[in-house]
């Protein structure tokens, strides 16, 4: 009996061991192939069986079985292509990641009912927007963590180029440092993190951001640190429009969303005991600025818990292959909803999806959220301006210990490897050489030690007066001094056999707010009206096609000036200038001796002050220069200039005032409007070059700020007013052929001007070709096609007024081309 009992116990034990040994385990993560975002509540089943599960709220699933029930695991989720995973019977333990590709929502089964449940849910979300939008609060603050990664992708065509012997080291560098962890070959180029404290107040509107940590790996730019914070990266799905690459796309929960989207309720799930609807949306029509995607909506508050927005290369955005944006919200202790996490992934391919491109990934997380608290108001009182970004001293010198404890989410293994790869690449001599070559190709400049040489685009040019022209520039760079810069160039014309040149000293004691001093002397041809002009003739592109039968005008300008610029809080700036200018008319212009016997040149000494107001204007800065990224408000300028006689050979007394207002207005869904209103007046009598010469264009390259059916020095005025207006309405009629990505626009340019009798008597002399509008209207109307091959624009311009032809060589209609780089 004891033997039988022992035998049974042994048999049971062996059986148990055998079963345990043969147990098979499958663990998996289901995620979006583009954004890497986990997909919750996806269906996971073994093909041909009833065995299955759904992924949890973080996209994970697991099975433990004695044997795989079938050879194939089927993963499905609405809006995605079904994924089939082949099971490996030889493995007892599998850990897999399932990348789901976006598909279409058109195949979603819709159960007919008396009400449209999708439309009903959309209306409920819109109805509750005021209660769920975080900007309902009087004030709030939070700690923000931003992580940005930029990678280069698609190496086949790049590697073909680098097979040439001088570029082979680049190919070796790429092969040594590519990362294939995500199924595609990428070369990491940039990874950065930033932690900041953000403060917001609604009335009066104030914003403040204190960047307390910034960790940059890759290309470094001083002003980029500010853009890594939250001040300029606010996306709110509750807004009616969402900005993507400076274009306004209609939000799925826009107040008028039912006109643009179809809505479907696909599922209902319970998360932590709370009920959520799964709402799908897709565009009603093709060719509109709309998204496709889905969101989870909380039942009761009808707040968005998670929003997924997707664009593909058919969207009206240049150079973009794919775009994914995810925004998640969390419920605070007082039941209010607040954004908790965001992720944006975009693929940019300048030429095409088969050529080298860029993948950008940005993740933002929010912690320590405080709403309607006096501590926020107290912190905002530190602001000197309504909006202020402050980089805390030492923010960019934090060590690894700080980042390990401060970052909101740990870097993945891939991201840690990226940091190492970037360090290797950036310090490789061959990479440094490549970046210098690329900079030279883009700007024409190159550095030799502390000296900058170039620009190659000015080395060779030509015109009817100088013949073949050569020019060479020398300047200091940031390695010489970060506050002081010098710049000079020499140019020589082989026909006029004259040496020209310029010298400049520039001192930048403060960058924020900006202040500089500049001392300049220049003696060269005057290549156009710099105030209005968009391009210069002093470069290799001066060989562009000129209008036939229009004689070229040449004027030499010798100018010495001293300039002081000072920026004040809240967008005000002041620029004071003292200048001595000597003009020498050379060809096809009224000569100097027409204003006095024996005169060879005309000299003036001017003192001027310019006041400028650009509220909340943003800039991208380099060491010495900065480029405006625009302002959300109109920009206003006013300049007063006084011509003083008897000083440095100046012969004329006059006063000039000039004022302008310009703005860049988004008018979704009907594109973007640019306008500039300007007016000016000269008090006194002076030669034409000291008055207002209306800006004309003598080439078939379109000039945005000039009158393109007018020639230079055609109209002269001492009082004038005008408007430049352009409305780019997006794809417009071209939405019928969305693959073309053409864009439609129209332009209006008008000018009113007059010239006093005294100035007419002085300037309208025999042999001159000047005109005055005498109070009449000069009007140009235009339209055309933009975004041809992504970079070309064609303008069709009609001169409507005045009707008479001032000269047979001037046409009332013209076709103009130009290059425009826009997303």
């Amino acid at each position: 009996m004891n033997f039988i009992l022992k035998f049974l116990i042994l048999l049971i034990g062996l059986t148990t061991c055998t079963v345990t040994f043969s147990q098979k385990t499958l663990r998996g993560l289901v995620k979006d192939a583009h954004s890497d975002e986990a997909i919750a509540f996806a269906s996971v089943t073994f093909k041909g069986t009833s065995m299955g599960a759904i992924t949890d709220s973080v996209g994970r699933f697991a099975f433990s079985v004695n044997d795989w029930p079938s050879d194939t695991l089927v993963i499905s989720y609405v809006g995605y292509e079904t994924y089939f995973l082949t099971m490996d019977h030889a493995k007892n333990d599998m850990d897999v990641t399932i990348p789901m590709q976006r598909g279409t929502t058109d195949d979603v089964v819709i159960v007919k009912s008396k009400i449209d449940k999708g439309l009903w849910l959309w209306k409920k979300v819109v109805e509750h927007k005021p209660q769920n939008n975080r900007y309902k609060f009087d004030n709030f603050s939070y700690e923000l963590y931003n992580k940005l990664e930029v990678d280069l992708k698609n190496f086949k065509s790049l590697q073909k180029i680098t097979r040439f012997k001088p570029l082979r080291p680049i190919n070796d560098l790429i092969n040594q440092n590519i990362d294939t962890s995500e199924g595609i070959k990428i070369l990491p180029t940039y990874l950065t993190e930033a932690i900041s404290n953000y403060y917001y107040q609604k009335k009066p509107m104030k914003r403040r951001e204190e960047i307390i940590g910034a960790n940059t790996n890759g290309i470094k730019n001083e002003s980029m640190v500010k853009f890594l914070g939250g001040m300029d990266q606010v996306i709110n799905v509750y807004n009616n429009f969402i900005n993507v690459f400076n274009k306004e796309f209609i939000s799925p929960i826009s107040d008028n969303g039912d006109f643009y989207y179809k809505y479907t309720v696909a599922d209902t799930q319970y998360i932590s005991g709370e009920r959520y609807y799964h709402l799908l949306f897709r565009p009603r029509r093709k060719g509109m600025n709309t998204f496709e995607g889905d969101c989870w909506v909380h039942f009761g508050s009808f707040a968005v818990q998670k929003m997924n927005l997707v664009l593909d290369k058919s969207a009206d955005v240049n150079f973009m292959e794919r775009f994914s944006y995810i925004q998640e919200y969390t419920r605070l202790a007082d039941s209010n909803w607040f954004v908790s996490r965001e992720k944006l992934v975009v693929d940019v391919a300048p030429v095409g999806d088969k050529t080298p491109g860029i993948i950008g990934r940005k993740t933002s997380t929010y912690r320590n959220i405080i709403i309607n608290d006096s501590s926020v108001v107290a912190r905002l009182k530190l602001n000197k301006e309504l909006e202020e970004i402050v980089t805390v001293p030492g923010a960019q010198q934090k060590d690894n210990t700080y980042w390990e404890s401060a970052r909101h989410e740990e870097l993945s293994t891939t991201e840690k490897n990226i940091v190492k790869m970037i360090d290797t690449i950036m310090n490789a001599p061959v990479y440094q050489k490549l970046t210098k070559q690329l900079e030279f190709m883009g700007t024409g400049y190159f550095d030799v030690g502390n000296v900058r040489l170039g620009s190659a685009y000015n080395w060779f040019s030509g015109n009817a007066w100088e013949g073949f022209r050569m020019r060479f520039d020398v300047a200091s760079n940031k390695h010489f001094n970060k506050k002081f810069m010098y710049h000079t160039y020499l140019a020589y014309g082989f026909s006029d056999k004259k040496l020209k040149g310029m010298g400049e000293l520039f001192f930048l004691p403060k960058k924020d707010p900006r202040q500089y001093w500049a001392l300049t002397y220049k003696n060269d041809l005057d290549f156009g009206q710099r105030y209005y002009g968009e391009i210069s003739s002093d470069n290799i592109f001066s060989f562009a096609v000129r209008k036939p039968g229009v004689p070229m005008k040449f004027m030499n300008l010798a100018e010495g000036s001293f300039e002081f610029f000072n920026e004040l809080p809240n967008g005000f700036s002041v620029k004071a200038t003292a200048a001595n200018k000597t003009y020498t008319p050379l060809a096809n212009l009224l000569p100097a001796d027409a204003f006095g016997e024996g005169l060879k040149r005309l000299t003036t000494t001017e003192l001027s002050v310019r006041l400028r107001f650009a509220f909340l204007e943003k800039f991208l800065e380099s060491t010495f220069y900065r480029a405006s990224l625009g302002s959300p408000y109109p920009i206003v300028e006013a300049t007063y200039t006084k011509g003083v006689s008897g000083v440095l050979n100046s012969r004329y007394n006059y006063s000039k005032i000039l004022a302008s207002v310009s703005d860049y207005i988004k008018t979704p869904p009907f594109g973007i409007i640019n306008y500039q209103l300007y007016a000016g007046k000269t008090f006194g009598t002076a030669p034409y070059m000291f008055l207002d010469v209306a800006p004309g264009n003598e080439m078939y390259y379109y000039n945005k700020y000039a009158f393109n059916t007018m020639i230079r020095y055609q109209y002269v005025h001492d009082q004038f007013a005008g408007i430049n207006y352009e409305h780019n309405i997006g794809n417009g009629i071209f939405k019928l052929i969305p693959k073309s990505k053409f864009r439609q626009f129209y332009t209006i340019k008008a000018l009113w001007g007059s010239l006093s009798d005294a100035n007419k008597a002085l300037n309208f002399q025999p042999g001159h070709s000047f005109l005055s509008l005498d109070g009449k209207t000069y009007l140009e109307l235009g339209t055309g096609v933009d975004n041809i091959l992504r970079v070309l624009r064609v303008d069709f311009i009609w001169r409507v007024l005045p009707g008479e032809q001032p000269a047979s060589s001037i046409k009332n209609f013209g076709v103009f081309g130009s290059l425009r780089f826009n997303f």
Side-chain angles (χ1 to χ4, degrees):
M1 185 68 179
N2 290 337
F3 172 77
I4 296 174
L5 181 61
K6 289 179 181 179
F7 177 78
L8 289 173
I9 293 173
L10 178 62
L11 183 62
I12 293 171
L14 290 172
T15 304
T16 303
C17 291
T18 303
V19 171
T20 303
F21 180 77
S22 64
Q23 189 93 15
K24 295 179 180 289
T25 302
L26 172 64
R27 293 177 296 273
L29 169 65
V30 180
K31 66 176 185 177
D32 185 291
H34 183 239
S35 68
D36 272 348
E37 197 68 14
I39 299 177
F41 312 123
S43 172
V44 184
T45 59
F46 285 95
K47 187 176 181 179
T49 74
S50 60
M51 185 174 186
I54 61 172
T55 59
D56 61 18
S57 60
V58 292
R60 295 193 176 276
F61 67 90
F63 292 101
S64 292
V65 294
N66 292 336
D67 200 3
W68 304 129
S70 74
D71 294 333
T72 306
L73 188 70
V74 181
I75 302 94
S76 61
Y77 189 73
V78 289
Y80 287 84
E81 297 176 1
T82 301
Y83 190 96
F84 299 93
L85 176 68
T86 301
M87 307 305 298
D88 188 344
H89 287 273
K91 290 185 178 180
N92 291 322
D93 194 358
M94 295 180 65
D95 201 333
V96 297
T97 298
I98 309 297
M100 302 286 284
Q101 295 284 352
R102 278 278 176 179
T104 178
T105 57
D106 291 336
D107 56 354
V108 176
V109 177
I110 301 175
V111 179
K112 291 185 178 180
S113 62
K114 293 182 179 179
I115 64 169
D116 186 333
K117 198 170 183 180
L119 192 60
W120 169 83
L121 183 56
W122 165 78
K123 288 180 179 178
K124 284 294 184 182
V125 174
V126 172
E127 179 185 338
H128 289 77
K129 279 168 65 173
Q131 291 81 40
N132 295 318
N133 192 337
R134 68 183 183 271
Y135 291 99
K136 71 175 182 178
F137 302 120
D138 293 332
N139 63 67
F140 56 75
S141 70
Y142 48 75
E143 182 182 88
L144 174 66
Y145 170 71
N146 265 327
K147 179 172 60 181
L148 177 66
E149 178 188 340
V150 179
D151 305 317
L152 189 64
K153 67 170 187 175
N154 287 342
F155 293 100
K156 288 185 179 179
S157 57
L158 183 62
Q159 287 172 325
K160 289 180 182 177
I161 297 172
T162 55
R163 286 173 186 169
F164 292 104
K165 188 173 181 179
L167 299 177
R168 284 177 188 169
I170 304 297
N171 198 16
D172 296 337
L173 185 66
I174 291 172
N175 290 328
Q176 291 169 12
N177 293 283
I178 58 174
D179 175 31
T180 58
S181 60
E182 298 183 19
I184 126 179
K185 290 185 176 182
I186 63 172
L187 180 65
T189 58
Y190 192 82
L191 177 66
T192 189
E193 306 169 273
I195 295 180
S196 61
N197 292 321
Y198 182 90
Y199 305 88
Y200 169 87
Q201 176 181 286
K202 184 162 63 175
K203 293 183 180 179
M205 200 280 284
K206 285 186 178 182
R207 297 197 295 172
R208 179 180 181 85
E209 185 166 16
E210 299 172 355
I211 298 175
I212 57 179
N215 182 24
T216 302
N217 301 279
I219 302 169
K220 299 180 185 293
N221 180 283
E222 295 177 15
S223 66
M224 279 297 295
V225 173
K226 293 183 178 181
F227 291 95
L228 296 175
M231 193 73 80
D232 300 286
Q233 302 182 31
V234 177
I235 294 179
N236 184 9
V237 298
Y238 285 103
N239 288 341
N240 288 330
F241 297 93
I242 296 173
N243 187 282
V244 178
F245 288 97
N246 210 33
K247 292 186 176 296
E248 298 294 318
F249 282 73
I250 299 147
S251 171
I253 52 175
S254 163
D255 295 346
N256 300 313
D258 57 334
F259 181 77
Y260 301 98
Y261 291 96
K262 293 180 181 179
Y263 300 96
T264 307
V265 174
D267 195 9
T268 302
Q269 293 289 342
Y270 285 85
I271 306 174
S272 301
E274 299 275 359
R275 186 180 179 185
Y276 292 85
Y277 291 110
H278 190 194
L279 179 66
L280 309 181
F281 45 84
R282 64 186 188 276
R284 284 189 177 273
R285 307 165 191 85
K286 292 183 178 181
M288 303 193 74
N289 285 1
T290 48
F291 298 96
E292 184 168 333
D294 63 285
C295 65
W296 290 92
V297 179
H298 176 257
F299 177 74
S301 67
F302 294 98
V304 173
Q305 187 268 335
K306 185 174 184 179
M307 176 76 78
N308 295 285
L309 302 175
V310 179
L311 292 173
D312 60 24
K313 58 185 177 183
S314 65
D316 187 25
V317 180
N318 283 337
F319 317 124
M320 188 195 72
E321 291 297 309
R322 288 189 296 175
F323 172 96
S324 298
Y325 178 74
I326 300 99
Q327 190 170 71
E328 298 180 32
Y329 288 78
T330 188
R331 212 171 189 183
L332 304 179
D334 60 359
S335 296
N336 281 300
W337 292 85
F338 205 92
V339 63
S340 59
R341 187 173 182 271
E342 296 171 307
K343 187 169 185 179
L344 183 151
V345 182
V346 60
D347 286 15
V348 178
V351 180
D353 58 358
K354 303 300 182 183
T355 59
I358 294 171
I359 302 176
R361 300 177 178 87
K362 174 182 169 289
T363 304
S364 304
T365 52
Y366 300 75
R367 284 186 181 175
N368 304 330
I369 300 165
I370 300 173
I371 59 174
N372 295 340
D373 194 271
S374 59
S375 63
V376 180
V377 177
R379 201 66 190 171
L380 285 165
K381 287 182 179 179
L382 298 175
N383 276 23
K384 297 177 182 178
E385 303 178 17
L386 294 182
E387 292 192 357
E388 192 168 289
I389 303 176
V390 178
T391 303
V392 175
Q396 299 183 66
Q397 284 77 47
K398 303 291 187 182
D399 58 19
N400 289 334
T401 304
Y402 168 83
W403 286 104
E404 287 173 3
S405 60
R407 61 171 60 100
H408 292 184
E409 52 185 40
E410 185 181 1
L411 293 181
S412 66
T413 302
T414 299
E415 289 167 339
K416 291 176 182 177
N417 290 335
I418 285 172
V419 173
K420 295 178 182 178
M421 283 190 282
I422 289 175
D423 184 63
T424 301
I425 293 170
M426 294 292 290
N427 290 300
V430 65
Y431 176 82
Q432 295 173 359
K433 182 179 179 180
L434 175 62
T435 55
K436 290 179 180 179
Q437 292 171 344
L438 292 175
E439 182 181 8
F440 176 71
M441 292 172 60
T443 67
Y445 291 96
F446 63 97
D447 292 334
V448 179
N450 296 333
V451 176
R452 169 156 288 199
L453 304 176
S455 162
Y457 300 118
N458 297 113
W459 285 348
F460 309 108
S461 61
N463 54 68
W465 182 262
E466 294 179 290
F468 180 66
R469 172 184 167 105
M470 295 185 65
R471 168 178 158 174
F472 194 74
D473 293 57
V474 178
S476 61
N477 57 30
K478 63 182 180 181
H479 304 296
F480 176 77
N481 192 287
K482 291 189 176 182
K483 291 188 175 183
F484 175 79
M485 180 196 72
Y486 65 83
H487 171 220
T488 183
Y489 76 75
L490 288 176
Y492 184 78
F494 283 79
S495 290
D496 68 346
K497 299 181 180 179
K498 295 289 185 180
L499 193 66
K500 298 95 177 174
M502 186 272 283
E504 174 189 14
L505 300 176
F506 184 86
F507 178 56
L508 184 69
K510 291 196 302 182
K511 296 185 73 170
D512 190 16
R514 189 174 179 85
Q515 184 184 95
Y516 70 77
W517 309 75
L519 181 65
T520 306
Y521 178 76
K522 180 178 180 180
N523 190 338
D524 201 348
L525 297 185
D526 180 17
F527 285 102
Q529 299 100 330
R530 288 171 293 172
Y531 181 81
Y532 298 100
E534 196 175 26
I535 60 173
S536 168
S537 299
D538 182 24
N539 57 53
I540 197 169
F541 302 107
S542 63
F543 294 106
V545 178
R546 287 183 52 82
K547 296 176 183 177
V550 178
M552 295 184 69
K553 291 94 176 166
F554 291 99
M555 175 92 70
N556 193 86
L557 172 61
E559 178 182 2
S561 66
F562 174 76
E563 186 176 293
F564 170 71
F565 176 87
N566 191 42
E567 201 168 46
L568 303 174
N570 295 327
F572 281 104
S573 65
V574 180
K575 183 169 74 172
T577 306
N580 180 261
K581 304 176 183 179
T582 298
Y583 291 90
T584 306
L586 299 174
N588 299 313
L589 288 170
L590 196 63
D593 59 13
F595 301 95
E597 187 175 351
L599 285 178
K600 294 183 179 180
R601 56 189 64 87
L602 299 171
T603 301
T604 182
T605 296
E606 292 183 343
L607 303 175
S608 67
V609 176
R610 188 199 73 179
L611 302 178
R612 187 173 187 269
F613 179 64
F615 188 56
L616 302 182
E617 185 176 20
K618 305 296 182 183
F619 299 93
L620 185 63
E621 298 185 77
S622 62
T623 305
F624 298 105
Y625 302 107
R626 65 181 185 180
S628 174
L629 299 177
S631 165
Y633 301 95
I635 296 175
V636 181
E637 292 186 9
T639 304
Y640 174 77
T641 301
K642 176 64 178 175
V644 184
S645 64
V647 178
L648 299 176
N649 299 319
S650 176
R651 295 167 55 90
Y652 300 95
N653 271 313
Y654 55 88
S655 297
K656 299 172 69 173
I657 55 173
L658 174 65
S660 70
V661 56
S662 60
D663 201 4
Y664 177 88
I665 305 172
K666 297 175 182 177
T667 55
F670 304 110
I672 297 171
I673 291 173
N674 283 280
Y675 75 83
Q676 181 189 37
L677 296 168
Y678 55 91
K681 183 175 177 63
T682 300
F683 301 89
T685 305
Y688 60 93
M689 65 280 290
F690 304 151
L691 304 177
D692 174 70
V693 179
N697 180 17
E698 298 180 351
M699 294 190 295
Y700 283 118
Y701 188 95
Y702 179 79
N703 190 314
K704 181 179 179 180
Y705 300 101
F707 293 90
N708 290 274
T709 59
M710 182 190 297
I711 62 175
R712 294 180 63 202
Y713 291 99
Q714 183 177 348
Y715 287 95
V716 179
H717 301 108
D718 53 22
Q719 60 179 358
F720 62 94
I723 179 173
N724 287 353
Y725 179 93
E726 179 176 314
H727 185 186
N728 193 313
I729 58 179
N731 48 21
I733 62 173
F734 298 116
K735 68 178 63 176
L736 301 174
I737 44 175
K739 288 185 178 181
S740 71
K741 289 198 174 182
F742 291 165
R743 295 171 187 167
Q744 185 182 3
F745 63 89
Y746 65 91
T747 58
I748 302 172
K749 294 182 182 179
L751 177 68
W752 299 268
S754 63
L755 194 65
S756 66
D757 291 339
N759 276 316
K760 282 184 179 179
L762 180 64
N763 290 281
F764 285 20
Q765 300 184 31
H768 77 85
S769 59
F770 302 137
L771 297 171
S772 172
L773 286 172
D774 289 328
K776 297 178 183 179
T777 301
Y778 192 99
L779 178 63
E780 283 184 356
L781 301 179
T783 187
V785 184
D786 195 4
N787 210 44
I788 302 171
L789 301 177
R790 309 296 185 267
V791 295
L792 299 177
R793 165 169 158 160
V794 175
D795 286 72
F796 304 95
I797 307 295
W798 290 264
R799 170 181 154 155
V800 180
L801 296 171
E804 68 274 9
Q805 288 276 13
S808 60
S809 61
I810 303 174
K811 306 298 182 182
N812 285 341
F813 172 76
V815 180
F816 301 83
S818 59
L819 294 174
R820 306 286 167 178
F821 296 93
N822 295 305
F823 278 102

